[in-house]
Amino acid sequence: MRERRLQFDRLWAGLKPGGYPPDALVADLLAALVVTTLLIPQALAYALLAGMPPETGLYASMLPLVAYAIFGRSRTLAVGPFAVVSIMTAAAAAQVAAHTDIDSTSAAITLALLSGVMLMTMGTLRLGFLINFLSRPVIYGFIAASGVLIAASQFGRLLGVPASGQTLWAIVEALWQHRAAFEPLTVLLAGACLAWLIATRWYLAALLSALGIGETTAGLLGRTGPILLVLASTAASAAFDFDGHGIATVGKVTAGLPALALPLPPIASLQYLWLPALLISIVTFAESVSMAQTLAGPRNEQVAPNRELAGLGAANMVSALSGAFPVSASLSRSVVNDEAGARTRAAGALTAVGVAASALFLMPLLAYLPLVTLSCIIIVAVQSLIGTGSFIRAWRYSRQDGFAQLATFAVTLILGVSGGLMIGVALSLVIYIYRTSKPHYAIVGLMPNSEHFRNVRRHGVQTAEHVTILRIDESLYFGNARFFEQVVDEIRRQQPGLTDLVLMCPAVNFIDYSALESLELISDKLERHGVRLHLAEVKGPVMDRLQHTAFLKRLNGNVFLSTYDAWRTLVQDTPSSR
């Protein structure tokens, strides 16, 4: 509690004029202005992507930012609506609406509350270490497929037809069924919007730099394309009555700040929402911590996963109180926040103030905003999620990781976001178990004029006919215990003159009960064939556990501190060597 109080005091000190250095205040204000400009159109677009009223996108961009500033750790992580989480929300809410009489808006709010509680609970239980068990290739494959689904889901609005679905095939099928109803004016406007967004995204910054504007300033101004498009298309819609000409617009938008209320989750919805909430929590945690670590690296800052869990959990619970949907960190806005020079987490709170001002004074104008504009913003925004670079790098480095990434990508497109993520995580666990079930091992020998031992297949080393030193490069557990037994049996069969087998264990961090029984079985087999079993370089924690077992008492060999000690003891008096 005291730590939270200190965090709040530091945040408040950052918000008070004169509370911290003027240059930090100016930097945070500038970053907040830039991020607010980028956030408003994205918030509206991602609200529609989540199947929510557009104003809820702004609600999800106010108090959640303040909550993260108090409870989170990263100074530049920009929390708020996120495309992948929005499409996961839409899928889960649609499932609830299809099986119960609960509307999708209530389901999305409940989803935010459940995700927040789960994230906060994980942070309280200090489960941040779980981030280490999430396979990056699987996450990358899931994110890329989600980007494809998000972009595909917007083509209905770009063509002026109702076309939706949770899988790529469902979306394509819906578009094909409505192929005769495409709206020419909507298609024309979509083409113009996409051309503008692509041109400003890729060329505006270079053009401004060529005109003499500083590189940093030009880069930030180059990201203003979406807000300029929103202003221009809204003005054109109001002037030329787009809605009357068949171009769908946002329509009436509720102005003002969110009315805070404690959402009471309908019991009937929980059986459909607990799993999507868990999956959203996983994606939110994995992506947010990865972004925070990437941004903190150049500044040599530390990222505390448990603090991030608490900050993200608080942000989602507050989003539910605001009547909005689940939130996460956004890569594009986080990068902009960092490039704009944000110095403290107060920049996020100041961004929330800017969004609140927009919600109070700009909402009536958004009624004229064409929906196709928001769809184009979504499509261009998610294109960074669909890069092929990570697929190529993963495949070149490891066929197994590359396969896991491609499989997750394909399954997500076929089954949708929830099914794709679950199968991807399961696949990564299967691959891990497969890898560790056949650990790397090597028969080693002594390097000449040294006390070091290396693989006999890679180096010219000294060995002995009657002694084999087997180096184990993995911890021993139930998944590889039988494989280890087979390796030892094969060595004994191939070396009939073997009298001593030394297990070199510098990489063995633990031995579970199944592996212990395998060691006992190996020792008994070797003893029946006149072979002694020895251990070398056993780590202290592993040795502590072995000392309380019958294995060491029955062991017919020795436990050596180093492999060289074993070599001297077993080989120094033997004249024959090979």
Side-chain angles (χ1 to χ4, degrees):
M1 182 64 70
R2 182 183 179 187
E3 181 183 0
R4 297 295 182 215
R5 178 63 184 175
L6 290 174
Q7 287 179 256
F8 182 81
D9 290 342
R10 285 195 293 267
L11 175 66
W12 177 243
L15 292 176
K16 291 189 300 181
Y20 58 13
D23 58 337
L25 177 59
V26 171
D28 285 344
L29 283 171
L30 176 60
L33 177 62
V34 175
V35 174
T36 300
T37 302
L38 179 65
L39 174 57
I40 290 174
Q42 284 190 353
L44 297 170
Y46 294 162
L48 295 178
L49 182 62
M52 296 284 283
E55 64 269 15
T56 60
L58 300 182
Y59 298 164
S61 307
M62 297 180 200
L63 291 181
L65 277 70
V66 178
Y68 178 81
I70 296 173
F71 290 90
R73 177 69 177 268
S74 174
R75 78 182 192 189
T76 55
L77 205 63
V79 173
F82 180 49
V84 175
V85 172
S86 292
I87 195 172
M88 295 178 73
T89 299
Q95 184 181 25
V96 172
H99 292 87
T100 68
D101 57 355
I102 301 169
D103 62 278
S104 58
T105 299
S106 299
I109 295 172
T110 301
L111 197 60
L113 180 62
L114 291 177
S115 299
V117 171
M118 289 179 179
L119 288 165
M120 184 65 78
T121 302
M122 291 168 65
T124 302
L125 297 177
R126 307 188 69 81
L127 298 181
F129 69 90
L130 293 176
I131 186 66
N132 300 322
F133 294 92
L134 295 176
S135 167
R136 290 291 182 89
V138 166
I139 295 297
Y140 291 156
F142 170 75
I143 294 296
S146 297
V148 172
L149 290 175
I150 290 168
S153 69
Q154 300 306 303
F155 271 79
R157 287 203 183 102
L158 267 59
L159 300 175
V161 296
S164 61
Q166 305 304 323
T167 66
L168 184 60
W169 173 252
I171 296 172
V172 172
E173 185 179 28
L175 290 172
W176 178 255
Q177 291 175 349
H178 295 90
R179 63 188 182 279
F182 293 168
E183 290 285 346
L185 290 178
T186 301
V187 175
L188 183 63
L189 178 60
C193 291
L194 287 173
W196 167 261
L197 290 171
I198 293 172
T200 55
R201 186 182 184 91
W202 293 105
Y203 304 111
L204 181 57
L207 177 61
L208 293 174
S209 295
L211 295 176
I213 298 176
E215 184 177 349
T216 302
T217 303
L220 295 175
L221 292 176
R223 299 177 184 272
T224 60
I227 194 66
L228 296 176
L229 179 62
V230 167
L231 295 174
S233 60
T234 300
S237 176
F240 299 104
D241 189 19
F242 279 9
D243 193 44
H245 289 83
I247 301 176
T249 58
V250 170
K252 184 179 179 181
V253 180
T254 303
L257 301 178
L260 301 182
L262 178 64
L264 297 176
I267 300 299
S269 68
L270 297 183
Q271 62 176 316
Y272 299 103
L273 291 179
W274 73 267
L275 182 57
L278 178 60
L279 297 177
I280 287 176
S281 300
I282 292 173
V283 171
T284 297
F285 179 45
E287 279 300 294
S288 299
V289 171
S290 298
M291 292 178 202
Q293 291 172 337
T294 300
L295 295 173
R299 299 188 299 269
N300 294 320
E301 294 179 354
Q302 296 295 321
V303 174
N306 293 315
R307 283 278 299 276
E308 295 304 313
L309 280 168
L312 294 167
N316 275 279
M317 287 192 289
V318 170
S319 185
L321 292 175
S322 302
F325 48 94
V327 297
S328 180
S330 164
L331 177 59
S332 61
R333 296 196 302 272
S334 297
V335 170
V336 169
N337 197 35
D338 186 57
E339 291 178 351
R343 297 278 296 276
T344 71
R345 294 192 302 277
L350 294 171
T351 299
V353 174
V355 175
S358 301
L360 285 171
F361 304 111
L362 299 181
M363 288 300 98
L365 299 177
L366 293 177
Y368 299 99
L369 176 62
L371 291 177
V372 68
T373 299
L374 297 178
S375 293
C376 290
I377 291 173
I378 291 174
I379 290 174
V380 174
V382 301
Q383 60 86 26
S384 61
L385 305 177
I386 317 175
T388 59
S390 63
F391 287 88
I392 296 173
R393 290 191 298 272
W395 186 263
R396 286 177 176 174
Y397 183 76
S398 168
R399 292 291 188 268
Q400 293 174 341
D401 286 334
F403 171 76
Q405 187 165 346
L406 287 171
T408 304
F409 178 82
V411 170
T412 303
L413 293 180
I414 295 171
L415 298 182
V417 289
S418 297
L421 182 59
M422 285 190 292
I423 291 179
V425 171
L427 182 61
S428 66
L429 294 176
V430 169
I431 290 176
Y432 171 77
I433 294 174
Y434 173 77
R435 283 174 174 169
T436 57
S437 68
K438 295 183 177 181
H440 181 268
Y441 66 91
I443 295 176
V444 300
L446 180 66
M447 293 290 290
N449 302 317
S450 76
E451 297 182 3
H452 301 290
F453 292 80
R454 294 292 184 269
N455 194 331
V456 297
R457 296 184 177 181
R458 295 177 179 269
H459 303 275
V461 296
Q462 182 181 358
T463 60
E465 290 285 350
H466 67 291
V467 176
T468 293
I469 302 176
L470 176 63
R471 191 188 71 212
I472 306 168
D473 296 332
E474 182 65 70
S475 295
L476 301 178
Y477 76 113
F478 66 90
N480 57 30
R482 294 294 177 86
F483 175 79
F484 180 53
E485 292 178 30
Q486 295 171 3
V487 169
V488 173
D489 286 343
E490 185 66 22
I491 291 174
R492 181 184 54 78
R493 284 194 296 267
Q494 291 180 357
Q495 298 178 234
L498 184 67
T499 62
D500 294 274
L501 176 65
V502 180
L503 300 183
M504 184 179 176
C505 308
V508 177
N509 295 314
F510 68 88
I511 299 175
D512 75 356
Y513 187 74
S514 297
L516 177 64
E517 288 196 338
S518 291
L519 285 175
E520 294 174 346
L521 180 62
I522 289 170
S523 179
D524 292 341
K525 284 184 178 180
L526 291 176
E527 188 173 9
R528 288 197 297 269
H529 289 84
V531 180
R532 293 184 298 175
L533 177 66
H534 310 272
L535 304 179
E537 301 188 29
V538 181
K539 291 186 175 181
V542 178
M543 195 65 194
D544 291 341
R545 298 182 70 87
L546 291 179
Q547 285 178 343
H548 301 289
T549 66
F551 167 68
L552 286 186
K553 298 177 182 178
R554 295 165 49 187
L555 186 67
N556 62 352
N558 300 313
V559 178
F560 295 98
L561 184 64
S562 70
T563 306
Y564 187 68
D565 288 341
W567 176 267
R568 287 190 305 175
T569 301
L570 302 174
V571 180
Q572 63 182 355
D573 295 329
T574 303
S576 62
S577 62
R578 51 182 168 86

